[in-house]
Amino acid sequence: MRRAGLFGVPRVRPWSWQAFLLGFVVVAMSAVLQGLCVALGAKLYFAAFLPSLFVLALVAGAPAAAFAALLTIPLVWWAFIPPVFRFTTLTSANADSINLFCLLAILLIGLADLCRKTVTIIRSGGLKPSGESAATNPQ
C-alpha cells in the first residue's frame, strides 16, 4: 500500500485482490452498522452503505467500490427489506430505493475516482503549462 497524500490514507491498487477483499470487509462492516440503525428504528435501507462506498472508492478505486455496490443490493434486499432474511418480490417503493441507491453509488464512485486522479496529478507535480494560453493570444 502507498500513501495517497490525501490525509495520509493508504491506497490500494484498484484491480488487486486486496482491493476486492477490502470491498467485502467494508460491505460487512456497513451491514453491521445498518443493522444497528434499523434496530434503533431507521427506515433508510442504504444509509450506512453510501458513505462507505465513497471512502472505499477513494482508498481502493472504482472497481472495488462497484463490486461492493453490486454486493450491497442483494444483501439489503435479503437482510433489511421486510420480510427480513427472505427474498420476496419488491414493491414499487423498494425498487425505487434500489434505483436511487444505484444512481447515488455511480455518482459517488465517479466523484471519488476524480478525487483519486486529482491527487495523482498533484503528487506528480501538477499540470504543466503549455506555451500559449487563450488569455495571452495576440489576436
Side-chain angles (χ1 to χ4, degrees), residues 8-88:
V9 176
R11 283 176 63 174
V12 181
R13 286 181 315 179
W15 285 99
S16 66
W17 66 270
Q18 293 99 343
F20 289 99
L21 180 64
L22 183 62
F24 186 77
V25 169
V26 164
V27 168
M29 290 175 33
S30 297
V32 169
L33 182 62
Q34 184 68 30
L36 291 173
C37 291
V38 168
L40 294 175
K43 299 283 187 203
L44 301 172
Y45 300 128
F46 296 99
F49 293 95
L50 287 170
S52 62
L53 282 179
F54 180 75
V55 172
L56 178 65
L58 277 176
V59 172
F67 167 73
L70 290 175
L71 191 62
T72 298
I73 294 169
L75 175 70
V76 168
W77 184 6
W78 178 72
F80 299 111
I81 294 178
V84 294
F85 303 120
R86 285 185 18 204
F87 285 108
T88 58

Side-chain angles (χ1 to χ4, degrees), residues 50 95-105:
L50 287 170
D96 288 343
S97 294
I98 291 174
N99 288 336
L100 184 61
F101 169 75
C102 289
L103 175 68
L104 291 174

